[in-house]
Amino acid sequence: ARPVTGEGALSRPLPSPLPAVAARVNGQPILMLRVAALARSHPDKGAADTGANPTVLRQALQELMGRELLFQEALARGVSVEPQVVDRAYDELRGAPASEAEWLGTLRLEGLDAASLRQELRVQATVEALRRSLAPRRPEDVTEEEADAWAHSHPEAGSEPERFQARQILVRVPPGTGLEERQRLRTRAAGLAARARQGEDFAVLASRESDDEHTRPSGGRLPELRAGQMEAGFEKALRSLGRGQVSEPVPSPLGYHVLRLEDYTPVVPAAPDVRLRRAREGLLREASDQAVGRLLRELESRAQIEVFL
């Protein structure tokens, strides 16, 4: 077992094969399937499939280990959530897909079933309850003057950021690929972009040609991407496109991405009461983040942590 902190530790080569258990926190296993799923879910990675990127995977592992420590501490303090909270969160995620079989198939792609997803949601809600308990004040105790000062220094709280809905075709470039093969793969990506511009259905192309197994079944559809929360190359490419237009290949650590802009939502100013509420919540969130950080450092100092990734 080796520590996961530090830039060098984050980027060192991954073990082969990847372990089924990425780490243990006070004896509780952190499964590799969950690490990979969390890594894929972060919109700031610019793609739904992170491949075997060591830094991305280890950052996700750090997040899960910290969450597990906080969950264990919450239980020790008697912090819990009502079953209805978990039920509501589950129903929101469940939505209304075509069938229960389709829903369960989606979960299997993430290494989950209905019961394990409910447990994930219970952990998240319990950790959030612990976080709220560490806040020094309640939102209503924050004065308008304090909230205004915070909002002035955080202008993003006064609006909804620009949002992009896109599809992608990924042409994966394995680690260690030579220059000649890399150029061949880029040419393949450019050819797929050209086919899409010439009228072929992008979703069909993605379902047949993309190397991203997680977005391929949905025709390459990516989670909603927000300005300032994705890789710079993705944001630059999407900003250059009109709705329905297709990009040139965009490089990333995974390979080459061909993007199609499906929809774009510009910045939307928030109403004054929403701005005030967000400012109060943001001010208290910063304070509780500091308290959580102090608690987490204390828990890490006395925890038994084994890392296998």
Side-chain angles (χ1 to χ4, degrees), residues 108-173:
R108 279 195 296 273
L109 282 175
E110 304 301 330
L112 292 168
D113 56 23
S116 56
L117 175 58
R118 287 182 182 277
Q119 175 60 14
E120 286 276 321
L121 295 171
R122 174 176 172 254
V123 170
Q124 293 173 21
T126 304
V127 169
E128 183 57 31
L130 173 64
R131 175 186 292 275
R132 289 195 301 270
S133 75
L134 297 173
R137 293 186 287 171
R138 297 173 300 173
E140 56 268 29
D141 296 330
V142 177
T143 67
E144 287 196 27
E145 291 76 14
E146 289 176 305
D148 282 339
W150 188 91
H152 183 73
S153 61
H154 298 78
E156 71 280 0
S159 63
E160 294 290 346
E162 295 170 280
R163 289 170 288 161
F164 303 85
Q165 187 63 61
R167 294 181 187 271
Q168 75 156 356
I169 298 171
L170 170 65
V171 175
R172 190 183 298 284
V173 178

Side-chain angles (χ1 to χ4, degrees), residues 258-291:
V258 177
L259 303 174
R260 182 183 193 274
L261 181 63
E262 299 286 303
D263 200 8
Y264 165 74
T265 304
V267 171
V268 179
D273 60 326
V274 173
R275 178 177 178 272
L276 180 61
R277 173 177 56 79
R278 287 179 178 170
R280 283 176 163 149
E281 292 172 350
L283 191 153
L284 293 181
R285 168 69 65 164
E286 285 186 353
S288 64
D289 281 347
Q290 293 171 2

Side-chain angles (χ1 to χ4, degrees), residues 72-93:
Q72 293 176 11
E73 179 66 10
L75 296 183
R77 295 186 180 200
V79 176
S80 62
V81 295
E82 295 295 326
Q84 298 92 316
V85 173
V86 177
D87 291 341
R88 282 196 299 272
Y90 181 89
D91 290 341
E92 286 177 8
L93 284 177

Side-chain angles (χ1 to χ4, degrees), residues 173-193:
V173 178
T177 298
L179 184 60
E180 184 176 343
E181 176 64 7
R182 180 177 292 272
Q183 183 57 44
R184 186 190 71 79
L185 292 170
R186 191 194 183 286
T187 300
R188 175 174 174 249
L192 291 169

